[in-house]
Amino acid sequence: MEIIFIVIIVFWIIGRFADSSESNNSYNNSSTSYPSNPTLTIRKSQDERDGRWYVVKLRGFFPFKVDGSYSFVYSLLDTTDGDDNAHPVFTFVPQLQEDNNMAFQFVNEGVYIPAYGGWEDYTQAFQIPVDLLSLAKKGKRRLTLVLRIYPQYVNTFDINFGFGGESAIFHLTKDFMFDYQNPGYEEISENKENIVKYSIELAISMANIDGNYDNQEKQIIKEWITQNSKTFNEDLKEWQHDSELIKIFEEAYENALQEIVNHNLPISEILNNLKQIADTKSKHDAIDLCYKVLAADGNMDREESNLIKFIADELEIQQEELLAMQDQYIISMSISEKSHTEEDINSILGINNEMSRGEKIHKLKEDFSKWNSRLNVVSSQEEKDNAQAMIDLISKELTKLR
């Protein structure tokens, strides 16, 4: 499932990275003038149609005595409180994380640099999706981009939560300012009890939408509680389970169940409370939990689809991100084994009566290519069957529209 999610997210952001990496056409300095040292620039992108991005560019020549291929590894640290009190920067996008934690890391492998070569002019390295970051605190923050370069044959980087990197053969840093508009994860820790409480209430509302809150849905929510009962230890630079948090969250779970029984769990009020204290990651976590609960019965009808879209709209989740999460869980649903109304099929395919015939055909053609490509990467026969079921649904709908 994780592999599928990574592939899905890549479809959304790959366009922003496709032309962003260092060109393999490195410049080999042969002039008599003294070559410039490597430098970085970071500028805010003017194109904000799909969120805010900061463009990173690199120029200069490297002191490497032989030709070779290298891995350029970029990390981010929040250094607002000083370099000695730096904080990790996290992201909820899997392919932008370190191997064993959620700290931001972008790796560009196979960058060829000839001896003493580099770039004479500023060349775009990559783009930082700042809306997908989680910082220590809200407000104007000083961030430090750290570039570490390793020989291509190094498979494991000695970087943990953005720190370390002593074995890298070259280091380069660049500071930039960023106005972070969400509550930071240190501030969230103060509000975490309420954030998890509201997320649990949303999930139970989702589970109960059909009037049947079954054991599988209960198990999913309880597992989520355990996974989220962790706090970040700044000294050890790791997440640790907190037994007190587990007790608090389990109590919130029982209270939410009672509110459901009493018909006193207004979703609009829950969402309004959550918006006031949650950062982007916490909002995504809440939506992700709702999708897990929705997928538990292997079906997604129109009412469930409308509810989760309403939740996403209220939490200001971008449509591309919502569709990526939806696709992640559609792959686990037994679509072919269920009977579907026309409204259910439209919800699954993401089309509606407000779309023109041409818009529907365009979307369905894109989705057909997307699901067809996933047949080659899914990890189980069940997921292959579900991907094929999606292709069959799309094909039938395209036939009706033609």
Side-chain angles (χ1 to χ4, degrees):
M1 177 66 73
E2 183 177 359
I3 294 175
I4 296 301
F5 184 49
I6 292 174
V7 172
I8 291 167
I9 291 293
V10 167
F11 273 96
W12 172 49
I13 68 172
I14 194 66
R16 302 303 299 254
F17 286 91
D19 299 320
S20 299
S21 300
E22 293 85 352
S23 170
N24 286 334
N25 185 23
S26 303
Y27 182 86
N28 189 3
N29 179 61
S30 58
S31 66
T32 55
S33 61
Y34 190 79
S36 61
N37 292 324
T39 58
L40 290 162
T41 67
I42 303 174
R43 297 286 186 272
K44 184 178 179 181
S45 173
Q46 299 303 308
D47 183 3
E48 295 189 359
R49 285 175 296 178
D50 55 353
R52 293 178 297 168
W53 299 72
Y54 276 55
V55 180
V56 179
K57 294 184 177 182
L58 173 67
R59 79 170 180 183
F61 302 92
F62 297 89
F64 305 151
K65 297 180 180 180
V66 296
D67 300 357
S69 293
Y70 302 89
S71 293
F72 281 48
V73 184
Y74 296 90
S75 303
L76 281 172
L77 294 171
D78 184 338
T79 54
T80 308
D81 299 328
D83 293 343
D84 293 335
N85 294 301
H87 304 280
V89 173
F90 298 108
T91 178
F92 51 84
V93 182
Q95 72 273 15
L96 296 180
Q97 296 173 351
E98 294 180 12
D99 287 341
N100 299 314
N101 60 66
M102 295 174 61
F104 177 89
Q105 183 178 90
F106 176 73
V107 181
N108 188 18
E109 298 177 333
V111 181
Y112 176 74
I113 304 289
Y116 300 103
W119 293 272
E120 187 172 19
D121 300 317
Y122 274 115
T123 300
Q124 186 164 313
F126 77 110
Q127 298 185 65
I128 304 172
V130 290
D131 286 333
L132 307 182
L133 301 179
S134 179
L135 307 186
K137 294 181 180 178
K138 184 177 182 178
K140 291 184 178 180
R141 310 297 296 174
R142 184 184 81 176
L143 301 184
T144 299
L145 178 68
V146 184
L147 165 61
R148 301 177 178 95
I149 300 177
Y150 295 83
Q152 179 67 29
Y153 59 79
V154 176
N155 297 320
T156 304
F157 311 119
D158 58 335
I159 301 170
N160 191 37
F161 291 98
F163 300 94
E166 287 77 8
S167 68
I169 61 174
F170 190 86
H171 294 74
L172 188 63
T173 63
K174 179 67 177 180
D175 293 344
F176 66 102
M177 299 301 296
F178 173 57
D179 189 6
Y180 187 58
Q181 299 173 358
N182 291 312
Y185 59 77
E186 288 191 351
E187 297 160 323
I188 288 171
S189 64
E190 302 170 4
N191 294 312
K192 185 168 183 177
E193 294 178 20
N194 285 327
I195 290 173
V196 173
K197 172 180 177 290
Y198 298 139
S199 299
I200 292 169
E201 291 175 348
L202 285 176
I204 292 178
S205 298
M206 176 64 68
N208 198 58
I209 193 170
D210 58 0
N212 179 31
Y213 181 35
D214 62 35
N215 289 331
Q216 192 171 0
E217 291 167 332
K218 292 177 184 177
Q219 184 63 28
I220 287 171
I221 295 175
K222 290 198 171 185
E223 287 176 357
W224 187 87
I225 289 173
T226 300
Q227 292 170 359
N228 282 269
S229 301
K230 296 180 180 179
T231 54
F232 185 72
N233 187 312
E234 282 279 5
D235 295 329
L236 298 177
K237 296 292 184 292
E238 65 180 29
W239 294 90
Q240 297 179 320
H241 279 288
D242 188 324
S243 58
E244 290 299 317
L245 276 181
I246 292 178
K247 292 179 182 178
I248 292 170
F249 296 159
E250 287 179 346
E251 182 179 350
Y253 170 81
E254 296 298 332
N255 290 339
L257 284 180
Q258 189 59 46
E259 294 292 339
I260 280 285
V261 172
N262 297 333
H263 305 287
N264 189 28
L265 206 59
I267 290 181
S268 295
E269 182 179 326
I270 297 169
L271 289 169
N272 184 60
N273 291 334
L274 183 59
K275 281 194 298 185
Q276 302 302 317
I277 59 175
D279 68 337
T280 303
K281 180 183 179 303
S282 298
K283 294 174 184 177
H284 278 78
D285 287 346
I287 289 286
D288 185 66
L289 174 60
C290 288
Y291 264 122
K292 286 180 179 177
V293 169
L294 183 153
D297 63 359
N299 195 19
M300 179 173 68
D301 59 31
R302 185 183 182 187
E303 191 174 7
E304 291 172 325
S305 178
N306 288 343
L307 176 57
I308 207 161
K309 187 178 185 306
F310 172 73
I311 293 172
D313 288 343
E314 290 296 303
L315 295 180
E316 300 174 344
I317 304 295
Q318 293 186 23
Q319 181 68 13
E320 294 88 349
E321 301 169 62
L322 182 65
L323 289 175
M325 285 189 278
Q326 176 177 304
D327 287 353
Q328 175 197 5
Y329 290 106
I330 282 179
I331 201 73
S332 68
M333 294 181 182
S334 303
I335 297 171
S336 60
E337 298 175 6
K338 306 286 182 178
S339 58
H340 303 284
T341 66
E342 183 175 348
E343 290 181 342
D344 291 345
I345 292 173
N346 287 346
S347 295
I348 293 171
L349 297 180
I351 59 177
N352 56 65
N353 294 331
E354 296 178 1
M355 300 170 68
S356 68
R357 175 177 172 274
E359 288 173 333
K360 291 179 181 178
I361 290 175
H362 178 72
K363 182 182 186 307
L364 291 172
K365 282 183 175 180
E366 287 188 338
D367 288 349
F368 182 90
S369 297
K370 177 177 66 176
W371 284 102
N372 196 48
S373 67
R374 287 177 195 162
L375 283 174
N376 299 318
V377 297
V378 290
S379 57
S380 70
Q381 186 59 49
E382 180 184 7
E383 290 175 345
K384 286 182 183 293
D385 291 343
N386 291 336
Q388 185 61 56
M390 278 297 294
I391 293 172
D392 294 342
L393 278 181
I394 293 169
S395 298
K396 290 178 182 178
E397 193 65 27
L398 279 172
T399 300
K400 287 168 55 179
L401 290 168
R402 285 170 174 162

